[in-house]
Amino acid sequence: MKRRGESDGGATVTAGPGAAEGGTRWGALGRINPFTFGLVGALGVLLALLIGAMIGQLSTVLVYIGLALFLALGLDPIVSFIERKLPRGAAISIVVAVVIIVFAGIILAIVPVLVQQISHLVQTLPTTIDDITKSGWYKDVTRQYGDSIQQGLDGVLKFFKDPGNLATIGGGLIAVGAGIAGGLTGVTIVLILTLYFMASLRSIKRIAARFVPEYRRERFSELVDDVSGAVGRYVIGQASLALINGILSLIFLTIIGAPMPALLALIAFLGSLIPLVGTLIGAIVNSLICLLASPLTALVAFIYYLVYMQVEAYIISPRIMNKAVAVPGAIVVIAAVGGGTIGGILGALVAIPVAASAIIIIQKVVFPAQDRKTVPPKVPAA
């Protein structure tokens, strides 16, 4: 066996420094105690689980931050438009004041009307039930399914006479109240974060650019501006569609005498914020609530929403959204369905601007990089 440096038939066997370092490294690894190796691996797994648990605990806060940043990007085009006439500080102050006034105006306009209409509904509910029981269609249904209806009513009465069930209902009402209070708290937090993000959006972009090498910062800043602009235009376009649906719903439902038209208009507005299926969901919910007035009112409301959805899909939405984001229809459907599956309503809401941002990145980063590769790399000879 030849030692290092000994000759063998005129050839010298010499181990390079890399071989020596590699041997030392593998020798050190081979000398690690298996218990120590397993302990370090177990600590790494525990650290990963701890980080995952922390993210799970902070999921609500992360959703608030993401939604606030999304809304801030949506309001930034308005700030930029006002900034053409006024300094940025004044433009931000105007937008902040308008947002606060609109938020307070919605609460002051909707809540008293809802309270009044709900109390009116409670007062007129016995008369409404009496009118329903005297109607011809109810008598026909009772004639055919009278025994089943009576058994159902007896079951309902028995349920409400049970004190344990009443306690359960009370606990459910408390949980609903706590959920409403939590929702209002979340809306307030999102509003405050939105205002902070909107005021410091340029600083956030500058700090993000500092993480990129200096020779790429200009290109990175242009890309960030394009992406944020696409998100902002989408938010404004979707809010415009929702506002149109809410205003038209309020006018039409008031004309046909629908119950609680302000609440139904709010449902239509919130539903239209959800891409693809939101308008349909709001239409179904509003049509079912209109049954409290009469089946004819519900039928008229449903026909109106059918007509409106066609007008929105083929006239209103293309004119507004084509100026906002240029995303193919198939990608819109795939993004909305995928976002809704992953993140629910918020996922569906942000899926389309995320898809638009991905298209911008592909068009301005990936495609130019591929276009520069005109000659295949040379393969060294063996």
Side-chain angles (χ1 to χ4, degrees), residues 181-363:
L184 293 176
T185 303
V187 169
T188 304
I189 293 174
V190 169
L191 179 62
I192 294 173
L193 288 176
T194 300
L195 301 180
Y196 277 118
F197 286 154
M198 185 173 57
S200 58
L201 192 58
R202 290 188 176 179
S203 299
I204 294 175
K205 292 180 180 179
R206 285 196 298 267
I207 293 174
R210 295 291 297 275
F211 289 94
V212 179
E214 194 276 336
Y215 66 93
R216 292 182 178 177
R217 286 178 188 173
E218 183 177 358
R219 182 63 174 164
F220 176 80
S221 299
E222 293 177 358
L223 189 63
V224 170
D225 290 338
D226 291 338
V227 170
S228 61
V231 175
R233 291 191 300 270
Y234 169 78
V235 173
I236 293 177
Q238 197 68 31
S240 300
L241 291 175
L243 186 62
I244 292 172
N245 189 11
I247 293 175
L248 293 179
S249 295
L250 179 62
I251 295 173
F252 184 81
L253 295 175
T254 303
I255 292 174
I256 66 174
M260 300 177 291
L263 176 61
L264 300 186
L266 181 62
I267 292 174
F269 172 80
L270 296 177
S272 294
L273 293 176
I274 305 173
L276 298 180
V277 298
T279 303
L280 177 60
I281 294 174
I284 294 174
V285 172
N286 287 352
S287 299
L288 292 177
I289 295 177
C290 286
L291 283 172
L292 296 174
S294 68
L296 179 61
T297 304
L299 179 62
V300 172
F302 185 72
I303 293 174
Y304 159 75
Y305 279 114
L306 282 179
V307 175
Y308 172 77
M309 283 188 289
Q310 303 304 313
V311 174
E312 180 186 80
Y314 293 103
I315 298 177
I316 301 176
S317 181
R319 293 178 180 273
I320 293 178
M321 299 307 293
N322 286 344
K323 298 179 180 179
V325 289
V327 181
I331 296 181
V332 169
V333 175
I334 295 172
V337 173
T341 303
I342 296 174
I345 295 177
L346 292 178
L349 184 63
V350 303
I352 296 177
V354 168
S357 303
I359 291 176
I360 292 174
I361 294 173
I362 291 173
Q363 290 178 344

Side-chain angles (χ1 to χ4, degrees), residues 106-125:
I106 291 175
I107 294 178
L108 295 177
I110 296 296
V111 172
V113 175
L114 290 180
V115 172
Q116 179 183 1
Q117 292 181 350
I118 291 175
S119 61
H120 176 70
L121 178 64
V122 172
Q123 293 174 0
T124 59
L125 187 60

